[in-house]
Amino acid sequence: MPTEHPLKAFAFCPHCGSPLFKDDGPRSKKCGNCGFNFYLNPAAAVAALITNHKGELLLTRRAFEPQKGTLDLPGGFAELDETLEDALKREIKEELNADIENIHYFTSQPNRYPFGGLTVHTLDSFFTASLPNNSQLCADDDVDSFVWVAANNIDLQKIGLPSIRKAVALWITKTAL
Ligand SMILES: [Zn+2]
């Protein structure tokens, strides 16, 4: 996993092109030519904890890197001008061809997501949700397949992304209460 600070990739001022684009604190750079200040913020991402009538959790298998082949939750990045809830509904439609309902905020976790040789710092928001009766799921997009697993049968070591693993661990703890 790349550990270099993501601002290292920004060598030139995106406003005027000057190479006098220098660190200005842990998450910003400032241009010595035009004064432009660039702030790095986490990318908003969403994931769903979907359960069925037996209380089993829906886990997906990642079709692509990073962590290809490991277990995951369905979800993805929010787009510009989109709410978290709309991002979640869109991602579940793209990945599983399903329309989720009963969406409730559960928890959040920061994550570092290696992408294209850079580290993308994300802020993942997790929501519980359910599916309408007789939903027919179909794995698509960046999901290879899916499986329903009871809370006491989930092997956290098979979940590749650390933020997903932490959220599922919390969900298991709350489910056991
Ligand atoms: Zn500049």
Side-chain angles (χ1 to χ4, degrees), residues 136-170:
Q136 293 292 320
L137 300 181
C138 178
D140 202 350
D141 199 35
D142 47 358
V143 168
D144 177 67
S145 58
F146 63 89
V147 62
W148 293 98
V149 190
N152 57 2
N153 281 332
I154 294 173
D155 182 355
L156 291 171
Q157 297 311 311
K158 291 186 175 165
I159 297 175
L161 298 172
S163 62
I164 303 286
R165 196 182 309 131
K166 286 178 192 167
V168 172
L170 180 64

Side-chain angles (χ1 to χ4, degrees), residues 13 16 18 31 34 36:
C13 172
C16 76
S18 168
C31 179
C34 75
F36 176 72

Side-chain angles (χ1 to χ4, degrees), residues 42-46 77-88 90:
V46 290
F77 286 99
E79 294 184 350
L80 304 181
D81 298 321
E82 192 174 46
T83 67
L84 295 175
E85 290 85 350
D86 285 344
L88 193 68
R90 175 183 50 73

